[in-house]
Amino acid sequence: MITSERELWACALLVEREHGDNAAIYIAERIGALALNGDAAGVARWKAIAEKLSLLWTGETPLTM
């Protein structure tokens, strides 16, 4: 069984693989679109994925948004 933590890591890895250096831009666009649609849960999920991507790239958690 996959945990939600592992699922977030899997999503971050997939976004990185599919979008490369533009992965952060892709995630920001997703967050923006979800925010415009009022999807707070979706925004929270993609922010969590963004945090995992930041950890992959820098080893550090990003500043809170």
Side-chain angles (χ1 to χ4, degrees), residues 11 23 62:
C11 289

Side-chain angles (χ1 to χ4, degrees), residues 5-61:
E5 184 72 12
R6 285 184 182 217
E7 187 176 359
L8 292 173
W9 279 108
C11 289
L13 288 167
L14 179 63
V15 170
E16 181 186 40
R17 183 173 53 202
E18 290 187 356
H19 298 279
D21 291 341
N22 295 320
I25 294 168
Y26 175 78
I27 291 173
E29 289 172 345
R30 292 293 306 140
I31 291 171
L34 291 164
L36 287 174
N37 286 323
D39 185 350
V43 169
R45 178 168 179 75
W46 279 95
K47 282 185 176 183
I49 295 168
E51 182 177 327
K52 300 303 183 209
L53 183 68
S54 178
L55 283 167
L56 281 172
W57 284 357
T58 68
E60 299 177 8
T61 11

